[in-house]
Amino acid sequence: MVSTLNEQKISGYFKNKSILITGSTGFLGKVLVEKVLRVQPDVKKIYLPVRAVNQAAAKQRVETEVIRKELFGLLREKHGDGFESFIAEKVVPLAGDMRCKDFGIDYETLTELRLTHELEVIVNASATTNFYERYDVALDTNVMGVKHMCNFAKKCPNLDMLLHVSTAYVAGEKQGLVQERLFQDSETLRDGTHLDIDMEVRLAKNLKKKMDADVYTSPKAQRRAMKDLGLTSSIHSILIGYVKNGHTSFLANRNLIMDVMPGDMVVNVMMTTMVAHSSSLLEKKKSHLEPNTPMVYHVSSSLRYPVSYAVLYEAAFRFFKEQPISGLDGRTVLTHKMWFIGNIFFFRLFMVLRYRLPLELLHLISVLCCGFFGLDDLYQELARKYRHAMQIVDLYGPFALFKGCFVDANLNKLRLAMANDHGSLFNIDPKTIDWDDYFYRVHLPGVIKYMLK
């Protein structure tokens, strides 16, 4: 499918390119921005539309949430005193909103920058991955935002590449092999049904309109209603939450295969696929593929280099045993062995017998004792932990027991195309990873440092 790829071809592709990257304040977005700037300092411009009220606010947000991050340490060392001027020359923050037409960028800015004419690459890494997001917000960002992006791309005559990044959750609860293929218009994961996006948008708008008209519906209740509506389509750092709350039972099957890829490897795949499908490379090899041929790549490990949840659990148990963290009350959380229950019905039954019934008894005693002896405080704390555990079941249940395996045949062709390149600058092979070491030394410390705030 592609000719031989190497570090020089991949980094060289981005030379003198004008690139627009959405989602730059997110995890993958900022990693991609840093990588492009590091491997190809001769990139022409990187435009970063971010949600902001004006250009000054956009510049401040990019500086605070992207450029000043520890991730850019290597670039700072490389450029020294010239780092700020280098960034100012290459990175262009734009005030906008992914949920709006033309990324929400005002017409004057588009005209002044000649953005539609200048752009050669668009990367959409913007999405809400909050499983407990309001349904209207999720629709505007993940659905309508993509539609606006595609319409904008059609206005760019010199566009060579459009890359859209999605999550593995588009597979839903599908079991077995999940193929690398495009979804057809209105296709859903359930046979015999179809998805009408316009109807979904109207559903969200009508609910909001109805709640706005109800003077008795508080803003908090409105947000909850929209989130509940979203839960019919999606699910709500999970292991850490369990540790902090002191839970000892968990809905999971230790033997099931999880699908995990380090973020930097995902970005390597993003950059490699862009080059593999660039018009210049396809023309040189006279490929049967046209430059605009859509292609799906699963950046996954479940088929080629599977790792079970047991490996993550053992690494996490060892990590928190040696480096305990503080709970919500500020006290050190003791690390206990967990019980894993691989069936949602039996997990709910266990939780009712083990926690819910004793909780109700404690509540009754607390009421009879008028809350004395600290019984009410104890009840409230235990009830909070119970609600947290059950919320996790509602949100993560389908994924904790997910039995799908993502086929990565397309991605493997890219690996084969890079077989003669022994450098690690664009490593996309999960077989080079020691999963136990990765979870213990990289993943868990990273979650603690950057997500557990």
Side-chain angles (χ1 to χ4, degrees):
M1 182 184 68
V2 296
S3 59
T4 302
L5 292 169
N6 53 43
E7 291 183 1
Q8 290 71 33
K9 285 185 179 180
I10 298 173
S11 59
Y13 171 75
F14 298 93
K15 185 175 182 178
N16 295 324
K17 287 287 193 301
S18 291
I19 307 169
L20 184 143
I21 301 174
T22 70
S24 61
T25 59
F27 175 62
L28 285 179
K30 61 169 63 79
V31 176
L32 176 62
V33 172
E34 189 277 340
K35 183 89 174 195
V36 172
L37 291 171
R38 177 159 48 87
V39 304
Q40 186 46 265
D42 290 327
V43 63
K44 186 176 182 180
K45 296 289 183 182
I46 299 180
Y47 297 94
L48 303 180
V50 296
R51 195 178 305 173
V53 294
N54 53 44
Q55 194 59 28
K59 186 174 184 295
Q60 179 63 38
R61 188 177 178 197
V62 168
E63 288 180 352
T64 302
E65 300 183 34
V66 183
I67 305 302
R68 293 179 187 173
K69 294 300 183 180
E70 185 180 347
L71 171 67
F72 286 75
L74 288 177
L75 274 175
R76 288 183 179 277
E77 291 182 12
K78 178 180 179 180
H79 293 276
D81 294 338
F83 175 75
E84 300 296 339
S85 61
F86 171 72
I87 293 297
E89 178 187 356
K90 302 296 181 180
V91 177
V92 183
L94 298 171
D97 191 330
M98 181 65 187
R99 300 171 298 179
C100 302
K101 177 185 176 182
D102 294 338
F103 301 108
I105 305 170
D106 63 81
Y107 177 78
E108 290 75 15
T109 300
L110 289 174
T111 303
E112 179 185 350
L113 296 175
R114 298 182 71 243
L115 197 57
T116 54
H117 182 80
E118 289 290 323
L119 282 180
E120 297 162 274
V121 176
I122 294 177
V123 179
N124 180 36
S126 175
T128 173
T129 55
N130 177 6
F131 290 163
Y132 200 43
E133 183 61 272
R134 288 176 51 141
Y135 192 50
D136 54 344
V137 173
L139 272 176
D140 281 344
T141 304
N142 296 350
V143 179
M144 300 308 296
V146 176
K147 179 180 179 179
H148 294 319
M149 175 197 66
C150 292
N151 289 335
F152 182 86
K154 294 176 182 178
K155 303 176 184 179
C156 302
N158 297 313
L159 191 68
D160 181 60
M161 178 56 53
L162 173 60
L163 176 67
H164 173 66
V165 183
S166 186
T167 72
Y169 301 116
V170 295
E173 301 178 41
K174 182 178 177 63
Q175 298 187 9
L177 295 179
V178 182
Q179 302 293 333
E180 292 171 301
R181 69 175 186 85
L182 292 168
F183 282 87
Q184 302 301 314
D185 288 344
S186 77
E187 179 184 357
T188 71
L189 296 170
R190 184 174 300 169
D191 292 337
T193 63
H194 72 280
L195 179 65
D196 187 331
I197 293 298
D198 293 332
M199 186 181 71
E200 295 298 317
V201 172
R202 288 196 300 271
L203 175 64
K205 286 184 177 180
N206 289 339
L207 177 59
K208 188 175 189 307
K209 184 177 180 180
K210 180 179 179 181
M211 290 187 299
D212 287 341
D214 187 351
V215 296
Y216 298 104
T217 304
S218 67
K220 182 177 181 181
Q222 289 188 17
R223 291 194 297 271
R224 179 56 188 262
M226 280 295 181
K227 288 185 176 184
D228 288 343
L229 180 59
L231 282 177
T232 64
S233 308
S234 63
I235 312 294
H236 178 36
S237 168
I238 175 172
L239 179 64
I240 303 302
Y242 252 65
V243 172
K244 287 183 73 71
N245 283 279
H247 297 304
T248 57
S249 55
F250 189 63
L251 175 66
N253 185 334
R254 286 169 50 109
N255 298 319
L256 284 180
I257 300 301
M258 62 190 304
D259 211 311
V260 60
M261 288 286 276
D264 56 344
M265 193 169 285
V266 175
V267 167
N268 289 346
V269 172
M270 292 166 65
M271 296 179 71
T272 303
T273 55
M274 282 189 271
V275 178
H277 288 270
S278 63
S279 58
S280 58
L281 193 66
L282 291 175
E283 288 170 2
K284 285 180 181 179
K285 64 191 263 331
K286 296 181 180 179
S287 170
H288 66 284
L289 288 174
E290 293 298 326
N292 62 351
T293 301
M295 183 70 76
V296 175
Y297 290 89
H298 283 161
V299 190
S300 58
S301 62
S302 56
L303 183 65
R304 195 154 307 279
Y305 192 48
V307 55
S308 68
Y309 282 97
V311 176
L312 172 60
Y313 168 68
E314 294 298 336
F317 180 79
R318 179 160 51 98
F319 180 87
F320 291 114
K321 192 75 172 178
E322 298 174 2
Q323 305 175 57
I325 62 174
S326 299
L328 298 178
D329 57 3
R331 292 181 294 183
T332 298
V333 176
L334 298 179
T335 303
H336 303 283
K337 285 285 187 179
M338 280 186 173
W339 288 15
F340 290 88
I341 302 175
N343 180 284
I344 292 182
F345 172 79
F346 288 117
F347 182 85
R348 291 184 180 279
L349 179 61
F350 169 81
M351 292 298 290
V352 168
L353 296 177
R354 177 66 176 81
Y355 295 104
R356 183 63 184 269
L357 291 180
L359 264 178
E360 295 302 324
L361 179 59
L362 176 62
H363 186 228
L364 176 61
I365 296 175
S366 175
V367 171
L368 293 176
C369 295
C370 300
F372 292 136
F373 313 111
L375 292 179
D376 186 60
D377 290 341
L378 177 60
Y379 167 76
Q380 295 297 337
E381 171 65 12
L382 294 177
R384 182 192 60 77
K385 290 183 177 181
Y386 176 79
R387 289 193 300 270
H388 177 266
M390 298 313 295
Q391 183 185 46
I392 293 239
V393 174
D394 291 336
L395 299 174
Y396 284 104
F399 301 108
L401 302 176
F402 179 67
K403 297 180 181 179
C405 185
F406 292 91
V407 174
D408 62 347
N410 292 338
L411 186 59
N412 192 50
K413 292 178 182 178
L414 289 183
R415 295 192 188 104
L416 295 176
M418 299 179 67
N420 296 323
D421 187 2
H422 300 291
S424 59
L425 190 59
F426 295 101
N427 178 23
I428 60 175
D429 188 356
K431 287 188 176 181
T432 61
I433 303 171
D434 180 327
W435 286 123
D436 178 74
D437 181 69
Y438 169 75
F439 289 136
Y440 182 81
R441 273 197 324 107
V442 180
H443 181 75
L444 291 168
V447 170
I448 294 293
K449 183 175 182 178
Y450 297 108
M451 296 182 66
L452 192 60
K453 298 177 181 179

